């Protein structure tokens, strides 16, 4: 709905290869293709696509889905590729991303004991919260990310969370 011509599927521990990204770039009906890796581990693979295709590939170094969405919202078909690149890059820099996930195993981080299954709250990729309750973890991460420059908070939720959980968070 935001105008993406293609999506390369992936996820935690399922990073797409350069070949996967190249295949999608070559299927895209455009001479200039913007690529949003949406994960710091995919940026390098995306950058390796450029010399492998006749299309102009512009990789925006998005490290999260919210950064990718913010950048896409800035795209203007009436602007040049260079101007779009600049506008989208500026948008990326304004996005703070919080995530909550489950710990896959017992561990110790910065002297804090983390048990398998506990919730880890991350702020822009760094673990900052360890909690047993989903709503508490999400609230703490969100609160840490908000500052006097914060204009909007958007909550995306998926596996392990419900619409009811999102509504509880909104009320806090």
């Amino acid at each position: 709905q935001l105008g993406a011509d293609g999506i390369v599927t992936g996820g935690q521990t399922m990073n797409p290869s350069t070949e996967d990204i190249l295949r999608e770039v070559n299927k895209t009906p455009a001479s200039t293709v913007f690529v949003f890796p949406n994960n710091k581990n995919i940026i390098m693979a995306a950058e390796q696509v450029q010399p492998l295709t006749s299309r102009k590939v512009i990789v925006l170094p998005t490290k999260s889905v919210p950064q990718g969405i913010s950048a896409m919202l800035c795209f203007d078909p009436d602007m040049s590729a260079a101007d779009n690149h600049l506008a989208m890059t500026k948008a990326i820099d304004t996005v703070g991303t919080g995530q909550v996930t489950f710990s896959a195993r017992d561990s110790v981080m910065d002297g804090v004991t983390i048990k398998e299954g506990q919730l880890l709250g991350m702020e822009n990729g760094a673990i900052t919260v360890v909690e047993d309750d989903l709503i508490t973890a999400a609230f703490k991460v969100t609160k840490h990310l908000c500052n006097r420059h914060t204009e909007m908070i958007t909550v995306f939720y998926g596996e392990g969370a419900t619409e009811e959980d999102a509504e509880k968070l909104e009320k806090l």
Side-chain angles (χ1 to χ4, degrees):
Q1 292 174 339
L2 293 176
D5 287 307
I7 296 174
V8 178
T9 57
Q12 294 300 79
T13 71
M14 300 184 317
N15 294 340
S17 66
T18 298
E19 184 178 335
D20 295 330
I21 299 166
L22 175 63
R23 187 172 25 259
E24 203 59 46
V25 164
N26 286 334
K27 287 181 0 187
T28 303
S31 57
T32 300
V33 179
F34 292 94
V35 176
F36 305 88
N38 296 342
N39 183 314
K40 67 180 181 179
N41 298 326
I42 302 171
I43 293 172
M44 190 180 312
E47 289 171 340
Q48 293 174 354
V49 169
Q50 177 63 53
L52 303 175
T53 183
S54 61
R55 290 177 169 82
K56 179 177 181 182
V57 176
I58 299 173
V59 178
L60 288 118
T62 55
K63 296 176 184 167
S64 67
V65 171
Q67 284 185 333
I69 290 171
S70 293
M72 288 181 69
L73 289 171
C74 291
F75 180 79
D76 182 344
D78 295 328
M79 289 181 9
S80 69
D83 288 343
N84 270 305
H85 186 192
L86 180 62
M88 290 188 280
T89 300
K90 285 181 180 179
I92 291 167
D93 292 337
T94 67
V95 177
T97 302
Q99 296 175 297
V100 177
T101 189
F102 292 97
S103 173
R105 63 185 180 282
D106 291 350
S107 61
V108 177
M109 180 194 71
D110 295 330
V112 177
T113 301
I114 302 168
K115 301 276 186 210
E116 179 179 343
Q118 276 190 304
L119 294 153
L120 304 177
M122 295 179 283
E123 299 167 30
N124 298 314
I127 297 172
T128 58
V129 174
V130 179
E131 281 292 334
D132 293 316
D133 177 70
L134 175 64
I135 305 304
T136 302
F139 177 76
K140 285 182 176 181
V141 168
T142 303
K143 186 175 179 181
H144 293 167
L145 285 170
C146 291
N147 60 48
R148 63 185 177 93
H149 301 292
T150 303
E151 294 181 19
M152 178 182 357
I153 299 169
T154 304
V155 176
F156 298 97
Y157 60 92
E159 188 175 333
T162 65
E163 184 173 352
E164 183 179 280
D165 292 331
E167 289 170 355
K168 285 180 189 176
L169 179 61
E170 180 184 14
K171 290 177 183 172
L172 295 177

